[in-house]
Amino acid sequence: MRAVFVIALAALSLLAIYFISLSGERSEKSASETTAAAAPAQTEESGPSIGLIDDARIENAESEPGNWLAYGRTYEEQRFSPLTQVNKGNVAQLGLAWAKDMGTNRAQESTPIVVDGIMFLTSSWSRVFAIDAVTGETLWKYDPQVPGDTGRKACCDVVNRGVAVYKGRVYFGSLDGRLIALDAGTGELVWEVNTIIDPTRAYTVTGAPRAARGKIFIGNGGAEYGVRGYVTAYDAETGEQVWRFFTVPGDPSLPFEQPELEMAAKTWKGGNWWEIGGGGTVWNSIVYDPDFNHLYLGVGNGSPWTRAIRSPGGGDNLFLSSIVAVDADTGELQWHYQTTPGDNWDYTAVQDMALADMEVDGESRKVLLQAPKNGFFYVIDRSDGELLRAHPFAPVNWATHVDLETGRPVENPDLAYLEKEKWVLPGPLGAHNWQAMSVDVEAGLTFIPVQQSSFIFGMAEEFKKTGLFKRNPGRWNLGIEVGGVVQNFVNNLGTWPEPKGFLRAFDPLTGEIAWQVEIPHHWNGGVLATAGGLVFQGDALGMFKAYDKATGELLWEFNTYTSMLAPPISFEIDGVQYVSILTGTGGGDFFTGAPLPPFPNPASLDYNNFGRLLVFKLGGTEKLEVPKARDMEIPEQEMASLSDPEIARGEIAYHDYCAACHGMAVRSGGVIPDLRQMTPEMHAMFNGVVLEGILAPKGMSSFSDVLTEEDMVFLHEYVRARAHQDREVALGNQEQPRWTWLDSIR
Ligand code: CA
């Protein structure tokens, strides 16, 4: 640690450091005055870079196009880089400057903060890095030592989307729910607080905290497991709690924690949502708006997903699937807009929100832009929450349109799935998920990683028979049938809307698509647009690409051999513009697993899920080694002789407990081990792993709280049966797998 510390000091002392008054007031200085105010020379004794970034500096981020000071570059979070050195004319010469192995094969989702030559970013398991942005050298790193068995509480991988850098400190949330403050110069711990109100519930933190007004804001995830959402503001200096905003009402027999919940509670009717959790987690987007001192919270889906269970008497279930504006100082509600009243489909509104000043119907408006999961693109006046536009940006079948008079979507009654299962578009991965979009205000366009990804919604057998639903700790609590998803899928394959991805240039005011690029896999990376006329995106097939921002024409591509989710960023140091991206997929798409033929495999399945940080510049000459193709062979299976109904029992258990990571129908997507490839030695250890937790330190927890030894007999046999069938198909002995055994019991 000592050596790292000295290296960090040496590197930092060479940098020009700006110093701005730490006053809580908005800066009255012009941008040029602010950046001209150079700091006194730093010495080793005084420590590096304290006061690096504060409110005024982030508010004036446009005057520092070479830095990336906040999550979406500026408080407006448009993810549009004003840099032009790399442009349409020369992007063909873009090459790899350096690559860094981040020591992981799990998903990387982080947006780095780049300030004065240093990148601050997170990787899997909430590890934090400070890296010299020119050389790739690690200046310091911090591992919060998240316990391995926390992985089981995370619906969507052991990911982290980044840090906030503020007043000389680096803030981040750990997967196990801590908010941690580090010294930005040394990486040493300053303070940490537990943000989780109930350790018996499966809360996790994966989102980047935001910093403003002397406070750090952080939410959490866990709605699928049954939690109640909230956001907390902490004092940046001390870590003391300043305010907390619950997004859904709690136990009605207890007092409301905040006055707004009285109004919200009237929109929840019947049911026992507070026992299940209620949901409404704010796991990704929190945006600070200096124009109004608002904090916008992107609120997630209901828990459970099915509203007939959550709130059988109807009601909108505030503030699920809403954009909520609160006062940044007090947490008091200012306005809210609910994208999906009475959410029934996991339609989070947690997707990145961008702020902009735009002319709408001849009037200059301060707007908030969001393309949430439900497929409609919302343009909202951020002074008062008035809905201005809500055009669909992707195929949608759950609603016909949004009525601008009422502000409400008009639902398609044919999609009710209580009686009969239905394909719903978008599915729970959304028409757009957390993978960031980019906004070009001048062109009036947004560049969105769009997903055409459907899902078959149908109720669990138990609910169909009894009308009852019981919260089941230790697993997803959705209401819909997860255990029987393969059967539903196979029975309705003829009407399946095929999965695809698009990079779409979309005009949020007219609803027109200026151009689009089709990608033959739905789960692709975030987007960066630049003033150099380019749009950058990494895709599932491992290609990092630059398109002409005006036409969508492909101008440059680089094979990373790894699928990507993270958004690219751009920065400039000593007159050189860089473009960077983290590689490695995962996240919410584990359940889908390996694509069915004829859809192409993601690169991470064909090769490996290489967790790297790649940095490009014009004339860069570094090369990535071409990896060996992954061994896909399935070993011969020793089958027990169980009956079809017994294997069916294993199929249900597998999808209830294992598929969320290991993939539907035992087809892993390439990040988590594929259980079809287990060797005889691994089969011998199967119960030890699943029940005794012998791999818990590596993230594979024990499931002995939910699975018995008897269950394991059936589950294990189902895994073997699936492996055996796919082996037979691969050897040409069988035409196609049977897929499901549930028809033997239903
Ligand atoms: Ca969700």
Side-chain angles (χ1 to χ4, degrees), residues 232-256:
T232 317
Y234 294 92
D235 184 292
E237 185 60 33
T238 63
E240 271 171 62
Q241 183 176 322
V242 181
W243 55 257
R244 174 165 286 156
F245 184 93
F246 285 94
T247 57
V248 297
D251 183 341
S253 70
L254 299 173
F256 296 116

Side-chain angles (χ1 to χ4, degrees), residues 96 98-102 108 112 119 121 131 136 580-583 611-615:
L96 187 63
W98 53 265
K100 189 177 183 70
D101 181 348
M102 300 301 289
Q108 298 198 102
M119 302 178 89
L121 65 148
I131 292 170
S580 82
I581 190 163
L582 284 157
T583 65
R612 293 187 175 121
L613 172 59
L614 305 179
V615 176

Side-chain angles (χ1 to χ4, degrees), residues 155 223-224 281 283 301 305 346 348 373 428:
C155 73
E224 274 60 49
T281 51
W283 54 263
N301 57 279
W305 286 359
D346 188 23
T348 66
K373 276 187 181 180

Side-chain angles (χ1 to χ4, degrees), residues 3-162:
V4 172
F5 179 70
V6 172
I7 292 166
L9 282 180
L12 281 159
S13 62
L14 294 172
L15 300 167
I17 293 164
Y18 300 117
F19 190 83
I20 294 167
S21 152
L22 302 186
S23 147
E25 300 296 317
R26 288 197 63 190
S27 171
E28 296 301 314
K29 290 175 184 171
S30 75
S32 57
E33 281 170 340
T34 303
T35 51
Q42 299 282 308
T43 63
E44 291 202 4
E45 286 72 35
S46 70
S49 65
I50 303 302
L52 265 177
I53 301 181
D54 68 359
D55 301 68
R57 193 167 171 196
I58 305 175
E59 284 179 39
N60 289 310
E62 287 305 333
S63 67
E64 301 182 47
N67 283 325
W68 192 285
L69 294 180
Y71 185 69
R73 194 178 75 83
T74 70
Y75 275 140
E76 293 182 307
E77 303 211 6
Q78 293 172 0
R79 291 179 178 270
F80 182 88
S81 171
L83 298 175
T84 58
Q85 184 179 86
V86 178
N87 57 53
K88 277 204 279 201
N90 61 18
V91 70
Q93 277 109 56
L94 195 63
L96 187 63
W98 53 265
K100 189 177 183 70
D101 181 348
M102 300 301 289
T104 186
N105 296 110
R106 301 297 284 267
Q108 298 198 102
E109 298 188 347
S110 175
T111 298
I113 304 293
V114 181
V115 54
D116 301 337
I118 302 174
M119 302 178 89
F120 297 94
L121 65 148
T122 56
S123 182
S124 59
W125 293 107
S126 325
R127 294 169 301 133
V128 185
F129 294 80
I131 292 170
D132 182 314
V134 173
T135 66
E137 180 193 1
T138 299
L139 303 175
W140 56 255
K141 60 184 170 188
Y142 185 87
D143 185 343
Q145 304 289 335
V146 171
D149 59 7
T150 313
R152 189 181 148 190
K153 297 181 180 176
C155 73
C156 303
D157 208 352
V158 293
V159 294
N160 189 286
R161 281 180 293 281

Side-chain angles (χ1 to χ4, degrees), residues 482-527:
V482 177
V485 68
V486 178
Q487 186 189 37
N488 282 345
F489 192 92
V490 170
N491 287 350
N492 295 280
L493 201 54
T495 53
W496 182 37
E498 293 179 349
K500 285 178 196 170
F502 298 92
L503 172 60
R504 193 162 276 172
F506 181 80
D507 183 328
L509 295 183
T510 65
E512 280 163 21
I513 297 170
W515 55 259
Q516 67 175 352
V517 176
E518 188 175 324
I519 306 165
H521 194 284
H522 56 276
W523 195 237
N524 301 297
V527 177

Side-chain angles (χ1 to χ4, degrees), residues 238-356:
T238 63
E240 271 171 62
Q241 183 176 322
V242 181
W243 55 257
R244 174 165 286 156
F245 184 93
F246 285 94
T247 57
V248 297
D251 183 341
S253 70
L254 299 173
F256 296 116
E257 291 90 344
Q258 77 220 30
E260 296 88 352
L261 290 174
E262 191 174 350
M263 175 260 280
K266 293 189 176 116
T267 67
W268 295 68
K269 296 172 185 168
N272 57 342
W273 72 86
W274 66 95
E275 285 168 7
I276 300 161
T281 51
V282 181
W283 54 263
N284 183 52
S285 189
I286 296 174
V287 176
Y288 175 66
D289 181 350
D291 287 335
F292 299 100
N293 197 35
H294 287 165
L295 194 72
Y296 304 113
L297 316 177
V299 183
N301 57 279
S303 173
W305 286 359
T306 305
R307 65 181 168 214
I309 298 171
R310 204 175 56 231
S311 185
D316 288 349
N317 294 186
L318 290 171
F319 298 97
L320 294 181
S321 307
S322 298
I323 297 164
V324 173
V326 300
D327 182 281
D329 291 329
T330 64
E332 278 169 66
L333 181 69
Q334 305 299 299
W335 55 258
H336 69 277
Y337 176 77
Q338 190 171 36
T339 62
T340 313
D343 167 46
N344 205 20
W345 307 275
D346 188 23
Y347 284 162
T348 66
V350 307
Q351 283 53 49
D352 284 12
M353 295 176 275
L355 313 183

